[in-house]
Amino acid sequence: PPRSQDRPRVDNTTLCQHSRMLHCELHIICASIRSAMQIGRAARSISSLLTHSSFQRTTITTSPSSKLAVSTTTSLIFSSFSSSSGSSSSSNSMPKYFNRETSPIDTILPSSGPVVKPARILSLSDVTDDANTGVNSGVLPEGASLLAIGATMDDFDVERLRKEEPNVIFVSHPLARGPLVELLQAFPSVEWVHTRSAGIDFIASSGLAESKVMLTNAKGQFSSTLAEYTMMACSYFAKDLPRLMRQKKNKDWCKYNVEEIRGKTLGIIGYGDIGQATAKLAKVRS
């Protein structure tokens, strides 16, 4: 072994710093594993619910013959439910659903064509949430009209609305599970339920599963945003941003080594919309 004076000297401060870094990395790894396990359990729960025989008829797709329009909140709202007999050939070529990441808007959102069935919308949402402005107070597509807005059944004038026969429910409220079932029971004319979110766990219930309505979600709406967040998080750790901010606060301009993301391998658990969007950004940076 080398003599003691030849051995590299490591002071206690450096050892403590390395110990804290290792502890932090282990904490992050454990948190990631716990998150993955929670996601797995949630996915199995949703999968179990979707296997319900009647719920299969309300899968998260739209009819190939349905015309769709995007509001300012990027949520999907009916423009009309079906096309006329003279436009059957064009409707057959339309995709089954719109996806912000993969669907070309100009091919899925027709700019012309007759409105066969108007969309009479009930908005089950929070009026104070600015994200719902596009539907609650924005300009809706031709043939679509907003009948009422509310967060609970008490907010809706059931007797008046029954005469107008609402056929669409737009959902954007975290406590919508119970009120949604009540609305479906009060208005049998409803044919379509759309959630502004990508997840549907907050509205999933036996009452919804037993109904015959079509259910759609906003799959792909947040993929780009979350993909960018993922890449930001990679840079956060690779460049040791916490240390950079501490040094800035302390006016400490000492240099330190950082990791380079280029050439690294990114592992993605769950290759859905968000995973695919993240892979696209990671490939650009490789």
Side-chain angles (χ1 to χ4, degrees), residues 42 45-47 49-50 55 58-61 171 174 176-177 180 193-205 208 215-219:
S45 299
I46 296 297
S47 176
L49 177 61
L50 291 176
F55 207 95
T58 60
T59 50
I60 313 169
T61 60
V171 184
R177 180 182 285 112
L180 176 58
V193 173
H194 176 76
T195 68
R196 186 176 65 86
S197 63
I200 63 168
D201 53 307
F202 73 106
I203 61 169
S205 67
L208 177 60
L215 174 65
T216 61
N217 68 345
K219 181 181 180 182

Side-chain angles (χ1 to χ4, degrees), residues 16-168:
C16 291
Q17 288 176 346
H18 283 285
S19 177
R20 284 195 296 269
M21 290 175 61
L22 178 59
H23 177 77
C24 180
E25 291 173 358
L26 289 175
H27 178 74
I28 293 169
I29 292 172
C30 292
S32 300
I33 293 174
R34 286 196 298 270
S35 298
M37 293 174 65
Q38 291 171 356
I39 292 172
R41 286 195 292 268
R44 286 193 294 272
S45 299
I46 296 297
S47 176
S48 175
L49 177 61
L50 291 176
T51 56
H52 191 286
S53 58
S54 62
F55 207 95
Q56 288 283 16
R57 293 196 294 271
T58 60
T59 50
I60 313 169
T61 60
T62 65
S63 171
S65 61
S66 300
K67 293 181 181 178
L68 302 175
V70 182
S71 71
T72 54
T73 60
T74 69
S75 299
L76 302 183
I77 296 299
F78 269 132
S79 176
S80 64
F81 294 120
S82 59
S83 58
S84 61
S85 57
S87 60
S88 59
S89 59
S90 62
S91 64
N92 289 335
S93 61
M94 291 180 65
K96 290 185 177 182
Y97 59 86
F98 173 83
N99 186 293
R100 182 179 179 227
E101 288 297 317
T102 59
S103 302
I105 294 180
D106 56 345
T107 60
I108 196 170
L109 304 178
S111 58
S112 62
V115 175
V116 178
K117 183 183 293 187
R120 297 179 292 274
I121 306 168
L122 297 179
S123 178
L124 181 56
S125 61
D126 182 359
V127 294
T128 63
D129 187 350
D130 293 338
N132 300 321
T133 302
V135 175
N136 292 344
S137 59
V139 179
L140 296 177
E142 181 185 0
S145 60
L146 181 63
L147 302 182
I149 307 171
T152 66
M153 277 299 295
D154 294 336
D155 298 328
F156 296 94
D157 186 343
V158 177
E159 295 301 321
R160 177 184 66 83
L161 291 172
R162 276 178 180 164
K163 298 176 182 178
E164 301 189 58
E165 297 185 334
N167 51 14
V168 180

